[in-house]
Amino acid sequence: MREPNFYAHPGFERAGLRRREPEWIRDRMLDRESLFVPVWRSQSLVLEVEGGEPQAVILGAESVAMLLGSSDSEAEEWLAHGRVVFLGLIDDRAHFALDLSAHDAPLDTLRSPTFAAAGIATTGLRFGDLRQFGGRLARQEGALLALARAMAFWHSRHRFCGVCGAPTRSEEAGHVRRCTESGCATMHFPRTDPAVIMLVTDGDRVLLGRNKNFLPGMYSTLAGFVEPGESLEDAVAREVREETAIEVGAVHYHSSQPWPFPANIMLGFYAEAASTAITVDYSELEDARWFEREWLLSHVDDDNFRMPRRDSIARRLIEDWLAGSGS
Ligand SMILES: [Zn+2]
């Protein structure tokens, strides 16, 4: 079986039906066995020790007890604001996202009552962008942090009803926001926006492009958002045509990857080229070229050419094709 992409297959049970049991959720919030994934202004908590791989920091209930309080009403406040979101169960232990964005100095907030009590060293601890270190985390940790970040981001952007403008409140343990205006009461659900990402193939060569914001030398697969009223296959063909003027024929699905930076799912495809002359759209790309399989297999990353980041589905699409398992 194919290995899951980074940020997918988190190894936990979402336990979606439990979201509708407010007492159970409150009890789990106050349960000493429960664990909390901190998020601060779209950043994740990580421990970096010199010379070692970064580790996700997931806090035990004792680390956050002072912050969350011990009463049902305090727990309900955190839940109603969407600052605590139930993520799921790992080995029957409830995991929650804990959004500390309201605090200007979140590490100080967490230090009291102290990490020390929880046996967590504070040196090397920082909030950072998951994109910078996600690919070096254990896969399950990366997936859990990605979900926590995505939920916190959605809550931060849906505090008001898009229909009538009244404030919304979080329900179902953070998986719905409902408008507080009784005549409206519209329910808003977490969003994930589909984007297609495709490796265009032409026999023994593939089409890769370079966005001017990429790292020096980095080339990657083409990608773009799916538009309303558009099939995935049509989105693949349109994006390739717009960016490079290449026409594609058959389109084959490969796999998908949650990409909560901030709220996407990447749908990965191989697309067979039906034409080969490239015209780059310089408003989108800096360059696009055909790369031969043999050249890609023998090239070592440098500032003239490097592969996309290791945790990306773009890298996966290219590597699987190089290994002969792609179309
Ligand atoms: Zn409303």
Side-chain angles (χ1 to χ4, degrees), residues 161 164 179 184:
C161 177
C164 75
C179 176
C184 177

Side-chain angles (χ1 to χ4, degrees), residues 203-321:
D204 248 5
R205 59 183 190 165
V206 290
L207 179 66
L208 300 177
R210 202 187 129 67
N211 182 305
K212 61 179 180 301
N213 300 321
F214 285 177
L215 285 175
M218 192 183 111
Y219 279 76
S220 188
T221 55
L222 305 181
F225 289 110
V226 181
E227 295 188 349
E230 188 173 51
S231 72
L232 301 178
E233 302 88 318
D234 287 348
V236 167
R238 176 184 53 75
E239 283 289 343
V240 175
R241 187 185 308 119
E242 285 176 2
E243 295 185 2
T244 62
I246 298 284
E247 295 293 334
V248 301
V251 172
H252 310 279
Y253 177 69
H254 177 278
S255 62
S256 66
Q257 180 180 40
W259 195 251
F261 308 114
N264 301 119
I265 179 156
M266 307 302 286
L267 304 160
F269 295 89
Y270 290 114
E272 293 174 19
S275 69
T276 58
I278 299 169
T279 305
V280 175
D281 171 10
Y282 290 105
S283 66
E284 296 258 348
L285 297 178
E286 194 172 83
D287 188 25
R289 287 189 235 162
W290 292 106
F291 290 86
E292 301 284 338
R293 186 193 300 266
E294 289 307 315
W295 187 88
L296 288 170
L297 284 169
S298 61
H299 184 80
V300 177
D301 281 356
D302 60 25
D303 281 352
N304 294 314
F305 179 88
R306 67 180 71 245
M307 292 275 263
R309 45 188 300 152
R310 204 165 284 282
D311 59 346
S312 67
I313 188 173
R315 177 71 168 253
R316 180 72 185 278
L317 287 165
I318 298 168
E319 287 191 338
D320 280 8
W321 178 79

